[in-house]
Amino acid sequence: MRAGPNRDTWALSGSAIGGDGNGRRALILVENLSVPFDRRVWQECLTLRDAGWQVDVICPRGEKRDTEPEAVIDGVRVHRYPLRAATGGPAGYLREYGSALWHTARLARKVGPVHVVHACNPPDLLFLPALWLKRRGARFVFDQHDLVPELYLSRFGRGKDLLYRAVCALERRTYRAADIVLATNESYRDVAVRRGGKRPEDVFVVRSAPAVERFQPVPSEPELKRGKPHLLCYLGVMGPQDGVDYALRALAKLRDEFGRTDWHAVFVGSGDAFDAMVELSRSLGLDDQVQFTGRIPDADLVRYLSTADVCLSPDPRNPLNDVSTMNKVLEYMAMGRPLVSFELREARVSAGDAAVYAPANDEAEFAKLITLLLDDPEKRAEMGRIGQERISGPLSWSNSQASLLAAYAAACGGRAPVTAGTTVRTRKRLRR
C-alpha cells in the first residue's frame, strides 16, 4: 500500500528494528477481554517475550480474575482499567467504547514510546490510539480477531443500516492505518486483501491454537455423567451468535424425536446470553439433563472434556460464523474429543475429519449426528485421534509463532536507527 511517513523513520533510540526483536518494545491493546484470560493474546505476549521483546498490555479488568490495576506476569507488564460492559443498545456501546478509548490513551501515555503498537479488535476503534503512537514512530500491527461488520449483522439482525455502515467505515480506517494485519485464518486474510485493500505480503495468518499444556487429558470421571451412560459437552462463550439455543433445541429433539435419554449435557462458559439460555433449557424441559456451570477453573474444564463422549459446536451459519475459526473446536480437538458441527467453511478447515457436519442450522440433523456418534465408540476414538494429530501438526501454535514473528519482522524490517530523542518530525526536518 501507500508509503507513509513512518515507513522510513523511527522515533526511538537504540538499534535498528528487525531480526530477533532484541531490546524492542511492543504495546498490545485489547478491549473486549482481560489478559491473560484472552488466551490468544497471552500466547502472543509470551511468544514476543521469548523473542526478546519487552511487552506491555493495556486491557480491561476482569470481574473475578485479572482484577489488579497493574501486574507483571511471566515478564509481561499488564495495565488494566475498569470497564462496564455495554447494556441498553447503541448508547451503551458508546459509553463502553468511549470509556475504553479514554483509559487506553491514558495508559498508553504512561507506558511511553514503543516500537510496535499491536491492537486487537473488536471493536475497530483502537486505530485511534494506534495513530497517536504512529505519529511518535511506532508501527501499527492490527490483530483482527473478528470481522466486525459481519459480527454486527450476525449479532443484531438489523440489516445494513446506518450503524452497519458506520462499523464498515471504522474497519476501513483501521485497515488504512495498519502497517501489518494479522488474520486468524485464510478467510479473514482474503477480506483484508479484498475489502481492506492491503497488499498480500502485509497480511499474515496467525491462527489461534490451544496451549497444549492447558489441555492435557486426565482419567474420565463417570460421576460427571450424573448417572447416564454418556456425557455431551459445550465449551465457550454464550452470546446471541454462538448457537447455544440451537444446541438446546437439538438436545430436545434428541430426547423427543430419537427417544434418547441416555445422556447428560454440560454447558461450560458464560456470556450475555447465559441467563436466556438457562431459561430456554428450562422451557424445553431439559432441567434434569442439562447443566450450566458458568466459567470454571481450567482443572475442572479438563475434567469435563476428558469425560465427554461427544462435544458440541452449534454455531449457526451466518455472515460471521461461516468464515470464523471457533476456539472451542480447536480445544475439543486438543483433548481428543469428537464433535458435531453445522456445515461451516472454516469449521471444516479446522476440524476436517475430527468432526461430523449437519446441514447449516438443521437442528434435527444435528441431533441425529449426536446419536450416531453415541452409538459408535470406535468412530469417536478415531475422530479424537485425528483431532489431536491436527492440533500437534498443521494447526499447532508453533506454526502461528513463526508467522507472528515474521509479521513483526515485516512491520519493523529495514529501519535505520536514529539518535536518542529524535522524533519523526525532527528526522523529517533534518532530511530537508
Side-chain angles (χ1 to χ4, degrees):
M1 294 298 290
R2 67 207 183 287
N6 291 301
R7 195 167 288 276
D8 56 4
T9 57
W10 191 243
L12 293 178
S13 62
S15 59
I17 297 297
D20 63 1
N22 184 31
R24 280 66 172 186
R25 193 173 192 188
L27 173 61
I28 300 181
L29 310 179
V30 188
E31 192 278 341
N32 68 327
L33 285 176
S34 63
V35 175
F37 180 71
D38 188 319
R39 295 290 180 177
R40 173 185 171 88
V41 171
W42 188 240
Q43 287 175 289
E44 290 173 330
C45 291
L46 298 182
T47 296
L48 293 168
R49 178 207 63 187
D50 291 345
W53 287 80
Q54 180 181 339
V55 182
D56 288 79
V57 180
I58 296 174
C59 66
R61 295 180 196 171
E63 293 183 359
K64 296 182 179 179
R65 54 173 294 175
D66 302 340
T67 57
E68 305 91 343
E70 186 170 329
V72 178
I73 307 170
D74 296 338
V76 176
R77 185 173 295 277
V78 184
H79 312 261
R80 304 190 184 105
Y81 55 85
L83 186 66
R84 180 177 298 177
T87 57
Y93 283 97
L94 184 63
R95 287 190 296 271
E96 175 188 336
Y97 295 154
S99 175
L101 286 173
W102 185 85
H103 283 294
T104 298
R106 171 180 64 83
L107 291 171
R109 287 184 175 89
K110 175 183 175 182
V111 170
V114 295
H115 295 78
V116 170
V117 54
H118 175 152
C120 309
N121 81 336
D124 286 338
L125 285 168
L126 293 177
F127 75 92
L128 293 169
L131 281 174
W132 179 78
L133 289 162
K134 279 192 73 172
R135 286 195 292 270
R136 284 147 181 82
R139 302 287 276 169
F140 175 23
V141 173
F142 172 41
D143 194 347
Q144 190 163 28
H145 293 189
D146 280 311
L147 300 176
V148 176
E150 282 78 2
L151 175 61
Y152 179 84
L153 292 175
S154 303
R155 182 179 178 91
F156 298 108
R158 296 165 58 108
K160 297 183 178 181
D161 60 1
L162 179 62
L163 286 175
Y164 171 79
R165 294 194 293 274
V167 298
C168 288
L170 291 172
E171 182 190 68
R172 288 193 297 271
R173 290 292 305 275
T174 302
Y175 279 135
R176 189 177 305 132
D179 298 297
I180 293 294
V181 175
L182 307 183
T184 56
N185 58 40
E186 292 291 345
S187 295
Y188 277 32
R189 183 178 187 273
D190 290 344
V191 171
V193 173
R194 173 178 46 82
R195 191 165 80 199
K198 305 305 292 182
R199 300 186 307 173
E201 59 266 33
D202 290 337
V203 186
F204 292 76
V205 175
V206 178
R207 290 184 172 276
S208 298
V212 292
E213 66 274 8
R214 181 184 177 219
F215 290 93
Q216 291 294 323
V218 298
S220 175
E221 299 182 32
E223 59 271 21
L224 297 179
K225 300 183 180 185
R226 301 278 182 95
K228 301 291 185 177
H230 302 294
L231 180 67
L232 311 177
C233 188
Y234 171 92
L235 162 64
V237 177
M238 299 185 190
Q241 74 276 10
D242 294 306
V244 175
D245 53 333
Y246 283 81
L248 292 172
R249 289 190 293 266
L251 293 182
K253 293 180 184 295
L254 184 64
R255 177 195 61 194
D256 298 336
E257 298 181 15
F258 294 91
R260 301 293 297 256
T261 59
D262 56 344
W263 51 269
H264 176 68
V266 60
F267 285 73
V268 178
S270 189
D272 52 8
F274 180 87
D275 292 339
M277 294 303 98
V278 173
E279 179 56 35
L280 176 60
S281 176
R282 188 176 297 120
S283 68
L284 292 170
L286 293 170
D287 279 6
D288 59 340
Q289 286 190 265
V290 172
Q291 172 189 0
F292 290 87
T293 68
R295 289 176 178 165
I296 58 178
D298 284 357
D300 291 331
L301 167 63
V302 168
R303 292 170 56 227
Y304 280 114
L305 289 178
S306 297
T307 304
D309 297 286
V310 176
C311 289
L312 310 178
S313 183
D315 308 84
R317 181 185 289 170
N318 58 38
L320 178 69
N321 290 346
D322 195 41
V323 295
S324 296
T325 300
M326 305 302 172
N327 286 336
K328 59 179 166 286
V329 168
L330 304 174
E331 290 163 351
Y332 297 156
M333 294 163 63
M335 291 293 295
R337 302 296 94 185
L339 63 126
V340 180
S341 170
F342 286 123
E343 186 65 66
L344 302 175
R345 184 194 319 175
E346 284 295 334
R348 274 199 179 272
V349 170
S350 295
D353 292 335
V356 290
Y357 304 90
N361 307 353
D362 189 329
E363 296 158 359
E365 283 298 312
F366 197 94
K368 181 179 179 181
L369 290 176
I370 293 173
T371 197
L372 290 174
L373 287 182
L374 292 181
D375 291 338
D376 194 342
E378 292 183 1
K379 183 174 180 63
R380 297 201 307 267
E382 175 66 11
M383 291 169 64
R385 182 189 61 78
I386 291 171
Q388 287 184 315
E389 288 179 352
R390 290 179 63 77
I391 291 297
S392 62
L395 301 181
S396 70
W397 178 244
S398 62
N399 292 330
S400 293
Q401 286 178 309
S403 187
L404 174 64
L405 296 177
Y408 265 61
C412 301
R415 250 180 221 288
V418 299
T419 58
T422 303
T423 65
V424 171
R425 188 173 300 168
T426 303
R427 180 66 176 263
K428 293 168 91 174
R429 285 202 301 267
L430 291 172
R431 293 161 74 189
R432 294 196 190 102

